[in-house]
Amino acid sequence: MSDSDGNDSFCSAFEAIPVNIRFPLSHDELESLDKKLTRIVYIQQTDASYHRALNDIKDQPSISLMIEPSFYGRHQATSVLAVATANETYIMDIKALGSIFPEMAKILEADQPRKIVHYSHRVSDHFRYKHGIVLAGVCDSFVALCVARQEKSPCSLPEAISLVFGLPVQDLLCEEVIGASESRRNFTARPLTQSQLRYLARMVQLQHRMHDRLIFNSICAQVQRMSMEFSRNFLGLQSSDVALNMGPGSRFGFHLIDSCYKLTAEGTTLPTPEEIDHHELEQRKGRK
C-alpha cells in the first residue's frame, strides 16, 4: 500500500463516520492540551517525581493508559508506560526503571481508578505475561467507539482520535512513529526525543477525552436527554401542585424515564484480534 493509498483509505473511512460521533475540540480544550504538553513529567528513576506521580494517579477516579510497544502484546518487552490524569501526564521509562514496581502494579490491579485504554486485549495481555499484572477497572475506548458507531471495523488510537475530533491524522503523529527506524517507531531506542514524548502525551490525554466524549455525548445521549426532560418536571406548575408532587413516595414525572432503554437490540460484535492485527499491519505498511 502506498502513502497515497493509505491516506485515501483513511479519508473514505472518515467520510463514512456518522455526524453524531464527531465532536471537535473547543478552543479552550486545545489550549488546555497545549499547556499539558509543556509540562510532561518524564520519569526514569524512583525519585520524588515518581512518588508524587503515584499519589496523583491513585487519587484519580479515572486515568488514561498506553504502553509502547503494544502491537504484539506479550511478545515485546515494555519500553514506556504513559499515564494521563486530569491535569498531568506522566511518561514512565520502564526500560530505565527496570520494572513496573509493586506500588504501580497495585494501582493497575485495582478497580479504581478506572483505566481507559485502547485495544485492551493487547494491553492486558502485555501486562499479564510481561509483568504478572492483571489489569482491572478497564474502560476500552475502542469498544466505546464501536458501540457509538454501531460498526466494528478496526481503528487504531490515532485513527480513532482523528475520526472523533476531526483532527488530521498526520498532525497527531510524529516523525519517529512514521519513520523508517523500527526502534524509534517502537519507542525502544534511547534517548526518547521530545517529539516522541509529546506524541505519547498527546495520545494518552486525547484518549481520555475521546472516551468520555463517546460515552457521554453519544452512547449516553438518550440518558442525558431523559435527564434533562426529567429535571424540568416542575417548571410551569403552581406552587401548590409542586408541593403535592414532592412527597417522598411521589412518582411524578417518572413516565419520562425509559428504564428499559437500550442503544440497540442487536448489540455490536467487535472485530477479532486477527482483523485488528491485519488492519494495523496494513496501516503500518501505508506509512512506510
Side-chain angles (χ1 to χ4, degrees), residues 162-212:
S162 178
L163 292 173
V164 172
F165 294 128
L167 299 171
V169 70
Q170 295 86 351
D171 293 351
L172 297 172
L173 305 176
C174 66
E175 183 179 346
E176 291 82 357
V177 169
I178 60 177
S181 170
E182 184 176 1
S183 62
R184 286 294 178 192
R185 290 199 307 271
N186 289 341
F187 294 84
T188 55
R190 292 295 184 275
L192 294 174
T193 66
Q194 280 299 310
S195 60
Q196 283 179 302
L197 294 176
R198 286 177 62 86
Y199 165 80
L200 291 167
R202 186 184 301 111
M203 288 296 98
V204 79
Q205 284 288 345
L206 289 175
Q207 175 179 254
H208 200 309
R209 193 171 293 275
M210 175 181 69
H211 179 269
D212 287 352

Side-chain angles (χ1 to χ4, degrees), residues 229-242:
E229 290 184 6
F230 186 63
S231 73
R232 295 171 175 169
N233 255 302
F234 292 111
L235 296 180
L237 294 184
Q238 298 291 330
S239 294
S240 57
D241 293 330
V242 171

Side-chain angles (χ1 to χ4, degrees), residues 89-119:
T89 310
Y90 304 104
I91 309 295
M92 297 188 180
D93 190 333
I94 305 303
K95 197 171 181 179
L97 288 167
S99 178
I100 295 177
F101 296 114
E103 304 96 326
M104 187 64 196
K106 186 176 180 181
I107 295 172
L108 294 172
E109 292 193 319
D111 289 332
Q112 296 291 332
R114 293 180 295 110
K115 322 301 186 304
I116 297 172
V117 296
H118 199 82
Y119 285 163

Side-chain angles (χ1 to χ4, degrees), residues 38-278:
T38 66
R39 58 172 194 264
I40 300 165
V41 182
Y42 182 39
I43 298 172
Q44 297 175 283
Q45 57 187 342
T46 55
D47 55 9
S49 295
Y50 172 80
H51 291 289
R52 280 196 297 270
L54 291 182
N55 288 332
D56 182 28
I57 291 167
K58 67 184 178 184
D59 284 343
Q60 302 293 317
S62 64
I63 57 176
S64 178
L65 290 177
M66 62 182 293
I67 54 172
E68 290 291 352
S70 64
F71 185 72
Y72 291 108
R74 72 185 77 177
H75 297 295
Q76 289 180 307
T78 315
S79 182
V80 178
L81 170 63
V83 183
T85 64
N87 296 306
E88 304 295 340
T89 310
Y90 304 104
I91 309 295
M92 297 188 180
D93 190 333
I94 305 303
K95 197 171 181 179
L97 288 167
S99 178
I100 295 177
F101 296 114
E103 304 96 326
M104 187 64 196
K106 186 176 180 181
I107 295 172
L108 294 172
E109 292 193 319
D111 289 332
Q112 296 291 332
R114 293 180 295 110
K115 322 301 186 304
I116 297 172
V117 296
H118 199 82
Y119 285 163
S120 60
H121 62 319
R122 287 183 181 168
V123 177
S124 295
D125 181 84
H126 183 98
F127 278 127
R128 179 185 287 269
Y129 290 98
K130 299 307 291 186
H131 301 282
I133 295 170
V134 180
L135 191 65
V138 173
C139 299
D140 195 316
S141 57
F142 172 65
V143 173
L145 181 68
C146 286
V147 174
R149 294 169 71 186
Q150 287 298 282
E151 203 272 328
K152 68 164 193 170
S153 61
C155 193
S156 69
L157 180 58
E159 290 174 322
I161 289 170
S162 178
L163 292 173
V164 172
F165 294 128
L167 299 171
V169 70
Q170 295 86 351
D171 293 351
L172 297 172
L173 305 176
C174 66
E175 183 179 346
E176 291 82 357
V177 169
I178 60 177
S181 170
E182 184 176 1
S183 62
R184 286 294 178 192
R185 290 199 307 271
N186 289 341
F187 294 84
T188 55
R190 292 295 184 275
L192 294 174
T193 66
Q194 280 299 310
S195 60
Q196 283 179 302
L197 294 176
R198 286 177 62 86
Y199 165 80
L200 291 167
R202 186 184 301 111
M203 288 296 98
V204 79
Q205 284 288 345
L206 289 175
Q207 175 179 254
H208 200 309
R209 193 171 293 275
M210 175 181 69
H211 179 269
D212 287 352
R213 201 69 64 90
L214 288 170
I215 293 295
F216 295 110
N217 289 43
S218 182
I219 296 172
C220 292
Q222 177 73 352
V223 175
Q224 289 180 299
R225 184 192 62 76
M226 286 189 282
S227 298
M228 184 59 70
E229 290 184 6
F230 186 63
S231 73
R232 295 171 175 169
N233 255 302
F234 292 111
L235 296 180
L237 294 184
Q238 298 291 330
S239 294
S240 57
D241 293 330
V242 171
L244 288 172
N245 287 293
M246 279 194 174
S250 172
R251 293 178 174 271
F252 182 76
F254 283 20
H255 64 285
L256 296 171
I257 303 170
D258 180 4
S259 59
C260 298
Y261 167 71
K262 292 182 180 179
L263 185 68
T264 176
E266 294 79 17
T268 300
T269 303
L270 299 180
T272 65
E274 291 75 18
E275 289 175 314
I276 292 172
D277 289 346
H278 176 74

